[in-house]
C-alpha cells in the first residue's frame, strides 16, 4: 500500500491550499484529493483505518512522491492525539509547516468560521476571540510545533513563512521541493486568484443548494433582477473587514510575542508581532536550536 512521503500540516489560512495545488502540478508528485483527509486528527476518519488512508495514494504512479495537506494536524488543543498517531504510523514522515503573521491569520480564520456558520452571525470578532479560544491557539506556532519537534525531531519539519511564499514563490517552492528530495525542477505556476469575497459569504445548506444548482442559477439570472440579487448577496456577506479593538490587539500581541520569542530562538530570528511581516518576507527560516 502506498503511503505519504510528506504532509503539509498547516497552519490554517496560510496558503496551504495554494502550496498543495502547486505541488500537485509538478511531474512526479502526487497530492491527495480530497486535499485534507484529516486522518490522524479526526476520530471519525482515523476509525476508517490505515487501509482507507493508504487508498488515497493508490493512484500515484510508481516513483511518485506522495503527499497530503491537513491543517487539522496543527490544531491543538482541539485534536490532541494527532502527533502520537502520526508518529506510530509514519515515524520518518517529512512535514511542511507554514506560518503567517499571527493576528492576520486569526482574522482570516474568523472570516472563514463565520462564513461556514461555526461562529454565530452576530458574534463580533472581539467577542469571538474570547468565545472561541482556538482562534488564538492556532496562531501560537511554537505551541503547535513543540510536540512534533519532541516526537519526530526538528530535522523532519520544514518551517515556511507565508509572507515569503508570496514574495518569492519560486524560491520557496524550490526550497520545499529540495527538502522533500524531489528530483525534478519545480516550477511555480501562475494560477487564477480565488475570489476572496466569497470567503465572507455566510453559507447554509439552503444557500449552498441555491448557489450550486445549475438550473436554479439560470432561472435566477433570467427571472430575478440583478439589483435584487445583489441586495440578497449583500445580506449574506460580511459587510466590512473584521476589525479588532485596539486593546484586544495589545492583549493579543503580548500573548503572541511570548510564543514568537520561542519560535525566534529556534530559528535564530528576532520575531515579534511588530516585526513579523518584514522579517518573514525576507528571511529563510531554518532551525538553529
Amino acid at each position: 500500500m502506498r503511503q505519504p512521503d510528506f504532509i503539509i500540516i498547516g497552519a490554517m489560512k496560510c496558503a496551504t491550499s495554494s502550496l498543495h495545488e502547486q505541488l500537485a502540478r509538478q511531474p512526479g508528485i502526487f497530492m491527495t484529493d480530497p486535499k485534507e483527509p484529516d486522518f490522524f486528527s479526526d476520530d471519525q476518519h482515523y476509525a476508517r483505518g490505515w487501509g482507507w488512508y493508504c487508498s488515497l495514494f493508490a493512484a500515484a504512479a510508481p516513483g511518485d512522491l506522495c503527499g497530503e495537506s491537513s491543517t487539522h494536524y496543527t490544531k491543538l488543543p482541539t485534536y490532541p492525539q494527532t502527533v502520537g498517531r502520526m508518529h506510530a504510523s509514519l515515524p520518518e514522515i517529512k512535514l511542511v509547516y507554514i506560518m503567517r503573521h499571527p493576528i492576520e491569520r486569526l482574522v482570516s480564520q474568523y472570516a472563514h468560521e463565520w462564513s461556514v456558520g461555526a461562529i454565530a452571525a452576530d458574534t463580533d470578532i472581539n467577542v469571538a476571540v474570547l468565545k472561541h479560544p482556538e482562534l488564538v491557539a492556532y496562531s501560537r506556532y511554537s505551541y503547535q510545533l513543540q510536540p512534533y519537534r519532541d516526537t519526530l525531531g526538528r530535522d523532519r519539519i520544514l518551517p515556511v513563512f507565508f509572507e515569503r511564499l508570496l514574495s518569492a514563490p519560486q524560491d520557496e517552492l524550490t526550497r520545499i521541493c529540495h527538502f522533500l528530495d524531489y528530483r525534478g525542477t519545480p516550477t511555480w505556476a501562475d494560477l487564477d486568484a480565488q475570489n476572496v469575497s466569497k470567503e465572507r459569504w455566510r453559507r447554509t445548506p439552503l444557500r449552498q443548494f441555491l448557489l450550486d444548482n445549475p438550473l436554479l442559477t439560470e432561472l435566477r439570472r433570467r427571472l430575478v433582477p440583478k439589483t435584487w440579487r445583489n441586495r440578497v448577496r449583500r445580506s449574506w456577506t460580511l459587510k466590512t473587514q473584521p476589525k479588532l479593538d485596539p486593546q484586544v490587539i495589545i492583549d493579543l500581541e503580548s500573548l503572541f510575542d511570548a510564543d514568537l520569542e520561542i519560535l525566534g530562538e529556534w530559528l535564530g530570528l528576532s520575531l515579534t508581532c511588530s516585526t513579523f511581516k518584514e522579517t518573514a518576507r525576507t528571511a529563510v527560516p531554518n532551525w538553529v536550536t
Side-chain angles (χ1 to χ4, degrees), residues 35-53:
K35 173 209 165 206
E36 302 203 28
D38 298 331
F39 176 70
F40 297 105
S41 54
D42 295 39
D43 291 344
Q44 67 271 30
H45 297 315
Y46 193 69
R48 294 181 176 185
W50 183 245
W52 172 82
Y53 181 62

Side-chain angles (χ1 to χ4, degrees), residues 64-129:
D64 278 357
L65 286 175
C66 293
E68 60 121 322
S69 309
S70 295
T71 62
H72 281 199
Y73 297 164
T74 46
K75 288 186 176 180
L76 288 173
T78 309
Y79 302 106
Q81 299 188 71
T82 301
V83 179
R85 289 170 172 174
M86 189 182 295
H87 180 254
S89 299
L90 300 169
E92 302 298 319
I93 192 70
K94 293 188 174 184
L95 306 172
V96 178
Y97 185 57
I98 313 177
M99 297 164 284
R100 178 182 183 180
H101 189 287
I103 293 180
E104 291 191 0
R105 194 219 64 81
L106 179 155
V107 173
S108 183
Q109 184 189 346
Y110 166 82
H112 171 81
E113 304 289 14
W114 184 94
S115 72
V116 299
I119 291 177
D122 59 351
T123 302
D124 176 77
I125 188 171
N126 296 284
V127 177
V129 167

